[in-house]
Amino acid sequence: VHLLRNAGDEVTITVQYLREAPSFLKLPLGSPGPSSDHSSGTSSPLFDSGLHLNGNSTNTAPSSPSSPIANEPKYEKRWLDTLSVPLSMARISRYKTGTDKLRSNAFEVLALDGVSTGILQFYTAQESADWLRAMSTNISDLTLQNMKMANKCCSPSDQVIHMGWVNERLEGADSSQLYKFKFLALKGSSFYIFSTPPVSTLDWVRAEKIYNLCEVLFKIHKLWLVDDCWLQANLYLGIHQDVDLEDQRPYCFSVMVGHGKSHYFNVELGSELAVWEKSFQRAIFLEVQRTGSKTYMCSWQGDTLCFTVDFALGFTCFDSKTKNVLWRFKFSQLKGSSDDGKTRVKLLFQNLDTKQIETKELEFQDLTAVLHCIHSFIAAKVASVDPVFIDSQSIARKYMYSN
């Protein structure tokens, strides 16, 4: 009433909804916050809204005509935290629970201890995307800090290359639970899969799965191009797919491991997919160079043999008992290969002297691991002589950033 009397002939009033109107009416003028609201015992909506009155009870008195503004209550904005969610090792989800459907202009942030922000809904898709990128960047920066701290306690050959949250599609999953959060890490010679992030040195031995990096194969499966359109890698990139792609999640990749098994993952952003692709390539190449060679037991026509893939020498096969070398070829001499998908592989080598193709057949207990190892060593060999090889092979960066 006091403000209206001194406002002049024309008054513009902005009406804003405040919850708990009785509590608002009980708020003494000049109260700095809910602590002075002794009558209600609850936080007033004016305090909750971040709008505060500065001054004291004398502000209720009419101001003198000479200085009409001097004693009027002054308003100021303050930021008040109603929920604090640590972003270190936090994870983001844009999907409706139990489905592969994206929320419209919304996402949820979950802290390491399980505290959730709830569903954060934004007015526009652009605003949602901006906040999503900002949150993701912050989490990535904090993860990088954690990696640096962990690496101070590790030997140079056992450094963490990359780690972070992904969604793993469950085997035989029904519509009630398609994906589950997993924490992946590339460290030293191994690829780790955790249900919760490792926060101490002892946690690294408690991983759900641990695979040798030389024996895994990273594959891109889906790339998001524009709204409501995703690119299947097998259609456009000539990559053979063994995974059902009926779900609607973009940014998917798989990590193929021994005995023909694989893990199928999804990430929230295309930039994350590109980082995982580059990190896997880098981690595998570093491990190949550190290891130098891998030897596998094999057999052919009843003889027990040893097959060695060596970064410097190429391929060598020798008798496991006598150690006599049966044959040896360089990487450049490998001209082709085929396998039966079970245990047997044919390697086609070109003889440097005769220029003829020689076929070598071998049987392995875990053929998939051997083939992945051969792929890792050849890729690392090419990368060592061609610095731009890694970038040229980056499917995610090539297709994601160009769109």
Side-chain angles (χ1 to χ4, degrees):
V1 172
H2 167 68
L3 293 174
L4 290 174
R5 283 175 177 171
N6 295 277
D9 295 335
E10 294 186 5
V11 179
T12 299
I13 298 177
T14 300
V15 181
Q16 181 176 359
Y17 169 74
L18 293 175
R19 59 186 176 84
E20 300 179 8
S23 297
F24 169 70
L25 296 176
K26 292 177 184 177
L27 178 69
L29 189 63
S31 171
S35 59
S36 61
D37 186 11
H38 301 293
S39 58
S40 66
T42 60
S43 172
S44 80
L46 190 59
F47 180 81
D48 291 341
S49 69
L51 191 63
H52 299 266
L53 289 166
N54 277 354
N56 50 49
S57 60
T58 60
N59 290 337
T60 57
S63 60
S64 62
S66 59
S67 57
I69 305 177
N71 295 322
E72 287 185 2
K74 297 178 180 179
Y75 296 86
E76 69 175 13
K77 281 271 187 175
R78 296 180 190 172
W79 288 104
L80 297 176
D81 293 332
T82 57
L83 179 64
S84 177
V85 178
L87 291 181
S88 179
M89 297 292 192
R91 58 188 188 270
I92 298 175
S93 176
R94 295 189 295 160
Y95 294 92
K96 296 179 181 179
T97 304
T99 72
D100 58 358
K101 303 297 183 183
L102 283 170
R103 294 189 178 97
S104 177
N105 303 345
F107 61 85
E108 180 182 12
V109 182
L110 298 99
L112 179 60
D113 59 2
V115 175
S116 170
T117 59
I119 308 302
L120 304 176
Q121 184 76 39
F122 300 90
Y123 289 105
T124 65
Q126 184 61 49
E127 186 179 7
S128 176
D130 291 343
W131 274 104
L132 180 64
R133 280 192 292 268
M135 292 278 193
S136 179
T137 300
N138 195 304
I139 292 173
S140 298
D141 291 343
L142 293 171
T143 301
L144 183 60
Q145 293 181 19
N146 290 328
M147 286 168 48
K148 290 180 178 179
M149 292 179 60
N151 286 337
K152 290 180 179 179
C153 304
C154 302
S155 65
S157 62
D158 198 31
Q159 298 284 291
V160 180
I161 302 298
H162 187 59
M163 61 184 185
W165 285 102
V166 299
N167 298 292
E168 181 178 14
R169 189 169 70 174
L170 304 178
E171 293 184 4
D174 55 20
S175 58
S176 64
Q177 191 176 18
L178 298 174
Y179 285 81
K180 187 174 183 180
F181 277 113
K182 297 291 182 180
F183 192 85
L184 308 185
L186 303 173
K187 181 176 182 287
S189 62
S190 302
F191 164 51
Y192 296 82
I193 301 178
F194 297 91
S195 57
T196 57
V199 294
S200 68
T201 305
L202 295 176
D203 289 340
W204 288 96
V205 299
R206 299 170 183 165
E208 291 183 351
K209 301 286 185 181
I210 303 177
Y211 300 103
N212 185 279
L213 279 170
C214 290
E215 299 177 349
V216 302
L217 183 65
F218 179 95
K219 290 177 65 177
I220 296 287
H221 283 284
K222 283 195 222 170
L223 302 173
W224 191 269
L225 293 182
V226 294
D227 292 341
D228 302 323
C229 176
W230 52 266
L231 169 69
Q232 286 193 31
N234 62 325
L235 295 179
Y236 291 86
L237 307 175
I239 299 176
H240 176 64
Q241 297 288 336
D242 298 317
V243 183
D244 178 21
L245 299 177
E246 292 182 356
D247 62 82
Q248 297 301 309
R249 296 197 176 206
Y251 314 132
C252 297
F253 67 93
S254 68
V255 180
M256 303 179 68
V257 296
H259 297 289
K261 297 181 180 179
S262 65
H263 296 272
Y264 187 84
F265 301 108
N266 151 260
V267 290
E268 300 290 338
L269 296 171
S271 56
E272 294 180 87
L273 182 63
V275 170
W276 275 115
E277 182 185 28
K278 185 174 182 179
S279 298
F280 262 93
Q281 291 173 342
R282 179 167 173 251
I284 291 173
F285 295 165
L286 288 174
E287 177 56 20
V288 167
Q289 293 175 343
R290 279 194 301 264
T291 303
S293 66
K294 294 279 287 185
T295 300
Y296 298 91
M297 298 295 295
C298 61
S299 63
W300 181 243
Q301 295 181 344
D303 296 328
T304 303
L305 308 174
C306 291
F307 176 75
T308 297
V309 186
D310 189 280
F311 189 70
L313 302 177
F315 305 99
T316 303
C317 186
F318 58 92
D319 190 282
S320 61
K321 297 178 181 179
T322 64
K323 307 301 180 184
N324 293 329
V325 175
L326 304 178
W327 47 263
R328 175 176 288 149
F329 295 97
K330 297 179 181 179
F331 288 113
S332 59
Q333 292 179 264
L334 181 63
K335 300 304 179 181
S337 66
S338 62
D339 62 86
D340 62 358
K342 298 177 182 178
T343 61
R344 184 176 298 182
V345 62
K346 290 183 179 181
L347 301 174
L348 307 179
F349 297 102
Q350 185 178 44
N351 189 300
L352 295 179
D353 298 326
T354 63
K355 305 301 181 181
Q356 298 297 314
I357 298 298
E358 298 183 16
T359 301
K360 304 297 182 183
E361 294 190 41
L362 299 171
E363 291 187 3
F364 298 90
Q365 288 187 344
D366 189 354
L367 177 60
T368 305
V370 177
L371 295 179
H372 291 170
C373 182
I374 293 175
H375 177 275
S376 298
F377 271 73
I378 292 179
K381 192 69 175 179
V382 175
S384 67
V385 297
D386 183 4
V388 300
F389 173 74
I390 296 180
D391 288 334
S392 68
Q393 296 299 305
S394 177
I395 297 172
R397 288 194 297 280
K398 185 185 301 180
Y399 286 86
M400 299 297 302
Y401 295 152
S402 64
N403 291 278

